Amino acid sequence: MKPVKWGMLGVARIGMEKVIPAMQQSDLCEIVGVASRSAEKAEAGRAQLGIAKAYGSYEDLLADPEIEAVYNPLPNHLHVPWTVKALEAGKHVLCEKPLGMDAAKAATLVAARDRSGRLVQEAFMVKCHPQWLKAKALIDEGRIGEPRAASGIFCYHNTDPENVRNMADIGGGGIMDIGCYMTIFSRWMLGAEPKRAVGLIERDPGFGTDRLASAILDFGDGRRSVWTTSTQLAPAQRFTVLGTKGRLEVEIPCNAPNDRPCRITVDDGRDLVGGGREVIDLPICDQYRLQGEMFSKAVRGEGELAMPLDESIANMKVLDALFASEKSGGWVAV
Ligand SMILES: NC(=O)c1ccc[n+]([C@@H]2O[C@H](COP(=O)([O-])OP(=O)(O)OC[C@H]3O[C@@H](n4cnc5c(N)ncnc54)[C@H](OP(=O)(O)O)[C@@H]3O)[C@@H](O)[C@H]2O)c1
């Protein structure tokens, strides 16, 4: 396959440190250029990544006919606007999560995509990781019986006022940043859409962002997911699916390391000290490379997108319901 030629909007940390270096390891992706609002930062980014082109504005990158696909890791409030501009410029777009500030804004991408005839996908790299594909396969083959409940935690500690996660007006806060993962896993592993949601949210008094959030998602028929996210607690990640015959746990659900095997535990629950526990190690891989490769193959018509837009919009609807629940103090229909 001819490699897809990529450009990145902004010198975002996630792009510079993880996504682009991983894609550079692949024969399916050619990283051609990086753009920044500042020509100096673009040039520094170009040199750091060892790539050909630097652009002193996002517009200049979009105007370059050599670029076929754009990676958009801008702050959350710029995901939809710059994804639309990139589509209008004829580029395919891999846009960081969460896809928009709310579901209605994310949904505007459907028309923009259809007008452009290009591909667009939210960059939920976890959808490409073999540990999650394996977890889903195990659940589907009945290893834990009927999946009825899920529980997750995702916490980190970040009080830097300059960090985009601590800026409420541009889409900061834990639910937008990491609650979106808990929601994806819940919907995916339970194989259903939540009917209603309730959120208990504590906000940082200075930043105004949600720094501790707990959610209950009710999927009906006796199925639910309960999760907690925090931007100001000790780092922790775990996701567990509880079934009628067993339990499945993904050890590092989101920031899966790329230098050691990832681990799933399946426990048939015969005792509480691990008598029925199987630990499955997955081969070492880089989920950002896999994401870039899947998207590039889809661009060439040689594969499917890891996550269609309607799934991203469904996910955003749950986040919307949690914020509405914060206001109403009760259950909100999704
Ligand atoms: N998938 C993942 O694993 C993962 C991990 C971390 C983050 N993310 C997502 O990636 C995105 C970026 O996160 P990050 O932590 O990498 O952010 P970051 O380092 O702060 O980078 C954001 C970039 O956006 C550009 N920008 C344009 N307008 C801006 C504004 N008003 N304020 C700040 N920056 C602005 C800046 O680039 P220029 O100055 O060069 O124009 C900046 O470097 C977020 O949407 C986040 O949710 C995803």
Side-chain angles (χ1 to χ4, degrees):
M1 187 188 110
K2 206 168 108 207
V4 171
K5 297 193 174 196
W6 286 83
M8 171 165 75
L9 298 178
V11 293
R13 205 169 140 209
I14 181 64
M16 296 300 296
E17 293 181 5
K18 303 273 187 202
V19 176
I20 298 298
M23 290 168 71
Q24 287 178 308
Q25 301 298 314
S26 170
D27 291 339
L28 308 186
C29 312
E30 181 183 343
I31 311 301
V32 172
V34 57
S36 172
R37 295 166 299 171
S38 128
E40 293 74 35
K41 273 167 73 183
E43 175 50 30
R46 185 203 65 73
Q48 184 182 325
L49 294 170
I51 58 177
K53 299 186 188 180
Y55 312 82
S57 75
Y58 305 154
E59 287 86 352
D60 286 352
L61 183 149
L62 296 186
D64 184 343
E66 195 189 357
I67 303 282
E68 300 177 87
V70 165
Y71 169 57
N72 176 357
L74 296 174
N76 299 341
H77 70 307
L78 299 177
H79 287 175
V80 167
W82 279 99
T83 294
V84 170
K85 285 184 204 199
L87 289 168
E88 285 171 350
K91 315 299 185 194
H92 305 280
V93 188
L94 179 64
C95 177
E96 267 306 340
K97 39 57 60 175
L99 191 55
M101 294 289 274
D102 56 39
K105 290 195 184 68
T108 63
L109 290 177
V110 174
R113 174 200 63 191
D114 293 348
R115 277 195 307 272
S116 71
R118 297 295 185 266
L119 300 180
V120 58
Q121 187 206 304
E122 187 176 21
F124 266 120
M125 72 297 179
V126 292
K127 290 286 287 187
C128 307
H129 199 296
Q131 69 173 351
W132 280 108
L133 303 176
K134 180 74 179 173
K136 180 64 176 160
L138 288 167
I139 290 171
D140 285 352
E141 73 194 33
R143 274 294 294 277
I144 62 167
E146 259 182 68
R148 290 273 175 83
S151 76
I153 47 170
F154 191 166
C155 307
Y156 56 76
H157 203 290
N158 183 328
T159 51
D160 173 6
E162 301 296 317
N163 192 286
V164 291
R165 288 158 191 76
N166 294 322
M167 300 175 187
D169 55 332
I170 66 172
I175 290 181
M176 291 288 270
D177 193 38
I178 49 183
C180 56
Y181 288 107
M182 298 291 107
T183 309
I184 279 280
F185 299 146
S186 303
R187 295 172 44 248
W188 191 12
M189 294 301 123
L190 294 179
E193 293 299 331
K195 298 187 177 349
R196 57 180 189 155
V198 67
L200 181 61
I201 294 174
E202 194 235 356
R203 290 187 178 266
D204 180 281
F207 301 143
T209 50
D210 59 289
R211 66 177 174 188
L212 177 60
S214 298
I216 305 178
L217 312 182
D218 178 7
F219 291 77
D221 300 326
R223 294 167 302 171
R224 70 191 51 164
S225 166
V226 182
W227 52 255
T228 291
T229 55
S230 178
T231 61
Q232 293 181 26
L233 286 178
Q237 295 185 21
R238 197 58 51 103
F239 200 85
T240 305
V241 188
L242 303 165
T244 47
K245 290 188 191 150
R247 169 182 75 88
L248 179 149
E249 187 169 277
V250 178
E251 188 183 60
I252 309 180
C254 301
N255 298 114
N258 62 3
D259 58 357
R260 46 149 280 199
C262 287
R263 184 166 295 163
I264 297 174
T265 300
V266 185
D267 192 332
D268 68 13
R270 77 184 62 162
D271 61 37
L272 293 176
V273 290
R277 190 182 295 162
E278 182 192 356
V279 177
I280 302 167
D281 278 341
L282 282 301
I284 295 172
C285 71
D286 188 312
Q287 58 188 342
Y288 299 107
R289 173 179 173 165
L290 293 171
Q291 170 178 258
E293 290 184 334
M294 264 190 97
F295 191 94
S296 296
K297 280 189 193 162
V299 166
R300 292 278 176 262
E302 294 186 14
E304 298 290 315
L305 290 179
M307 180 150 166
L309 266 190
D310 54 356
E311 210 183 302
S312 296
I313 294 161
N315 213 57
M316 289 287 338
K317 283 184 182 167
V318 182
L319 308 191
D320 289 356
L322 292 174
F323 290 124
S325 165
E326 178 189 20
K327 290 206 177 81
S328 72
W331 287 98
V332 170
V334 175

